[in-house]
Amino acid sequence: MRLDKYLSERLGIPRGESRKLAAKGRVTVNGVLTKKADTQIEEATAEVAVDGRPLAGAYQKYVYLMLNKPEGVVSAAQDKRDTTVVDLVKDAFPRRQLFPAGRLDKTSTGFVLLTDDGTLAHDILAPGRHVPKQYLVTLDTPLTNAMRVGFAAGVTLADGQTLAPAEVAPAGADPCVVRVTLHQGVYHQIKRMFGVFDAGVNALHREVIGPVALDAALVPGQWRELTAEEVNALRAAAKPKN
Ligand code: URA
């Protein structure tokens, strides 16, 4: 990759700025002062420094973020009226076309995966891959045995659609607070599943996607990059199954 492109992507600055940085003699590649913007560098291994400070991390082909979505924010890349999950991170990644891999309702909170890796997003969301997602749900009525049995068998929604088996269990001492694990993603799925049992959902928080749990240190609106281990674990979980 050209040095100016690398600098622009790593620093989130225009190409012209990158060229100026290099021309002013502020950039070294593998310890060698490099003024030419068209210098080809090996992006996976090059040690690039600006003003003697190494750029953090290696060049990344894709970005993977875990966001703790706050209530009232919509799971979309852009929206005319509401703040979107991408609005919350885009200042840090001005050149990336990030989008949410899977949606949470506007009123729901918790783990939204943001990426520009369309292949992984597709694999996570593909109906056949069954990457499980876990939610903490507050109901307006206690959990019943009928709900448990119904979820395990596969709930038939009001529109006649029968869903894949899912799990529901108490999350603690409060019988209205439960953990639900889904293996598919249907619009308003959890609310509609409990609706079949005349139960309403007061709060819904996604805690886990496949092998990756939302970092407890992230308060609503905060995000962090996934670690390489987390990305690899997600890839393995979303791999096509034979
Ligand atoms: N099910 C719902 O009803 N809402 C969500 O946001 C996620 C799952």
Side-chain angles (χ1 to χ4, degrees):
M1 179 185 286
R2 282 174 59 115
L3 176 61
D4 53 352
K5 182 162 193 274
Y6 180 94
L7 289 170
S8 291
E9 290 190 1
R10 291 302 304 153
L11 299 170
I13 58 174
R15 284 277 192 110
E17 294 289 312
S18 298
R19 275 182 221 119
K20 276 188 215 156
L21 272 183
K24 285 181 183 159
R26 295 172 60 189
V27 179
T28 55
V29 177
N30 298 326
V32 179
L33 187 71
T34 306
K35 290 192 172 184
K36 283 198 174 154
D38 63 355
T39 303
Q40 288 291 326
I41 61 165
E42 185 50 65
E43 69 243 37
T45 54
E47 286 175 28
V48 179
V50 177
D51 298 332
R53 276 194 302 275
L55 298 187
Y59 168 76
Q60 289 170 283
K61 187 161 185 203
Y62 298 116
V63 168
Y64 306 90
L65 309 175
M66 66 162 70
L67 167 74
N68 185 354
K69 184 184 101 58
E71 214 182 323
V73 171
V74 294
S75 295
Q78 8 178 347
D79 192 89
K80 286 204 180 77
R81 238 186 4 204
D82 293 310
T83 303
T84 71
V85 288
V86 172
D87 290 335
L88 298 180
V89 306
K90 68 180 180 197
D91 285 352
F93 300 93
R95 309 193 146 244
R96 299 279 185 165
Q97 304 294 317
L98 295 170
F99 58 88
R103 287 161 183 265
L104 282 178
D105 295 342
K106 186 173 167 182
T107 52
S108 300
T109 59
F111 191 169
V112 172
L113 176 67
L114 291 163
T115 185
D116 50 359
D117 180 349
T119 305
L120 182 64
H122 169 270
D123 286 351
I124 289 171
L125 300 175
R129 308 292 160 82
H130 305 300
V131 175
K133 299 183 183 79
Q134 184 184 295
Y135 302 81
L136 188 66
V137 183
T138 308
L139 301 171
D140 64 1
T141 182
L143 180 67
T144 64
N145 208 38
M147 292 175 195
R148 274 192 231 225
V149 174
F151 273 44
V155 172
T156 300
L157 297 178
D159 66 2
Q161 184 182 5
T162 298
L163 300 175
E167 294 94 59
V168 58
D174 185 341
C176 293
V177 182
V178 299
R179 280 218 161 78
V180 174
T181 304
L182 299 183
H183 303 269
Q184 67 190 138
V186 170
Y187 185 62
H188 288 335
Q189 185 168 344
I190 292 178
K191 289 173 187 158
R192 291 163 75 196
M193 288 167 84
F194 281 112
V196 169
F197 299 91
D198 292 323
V201 168
N202 288 341
L204 198 157
H205 180 80
R206 183 153 63 200
E207 301 178 308
V208 181
I209 299 176
V212 182
L214 180 65
D215 193 324
L218 298 173
V219 301
Q222 282 188 331
W223 56 269
R224 72 157 169 82
E225 289 196 60
L226 264 61
T227 64
E229 289 73 27
E230 287 169 336
V231 175
N232 288 337
L234 264 180
R235 272 215 188 93
K239 245 195 1 229
K241 309 203 171 30
N242 301 315

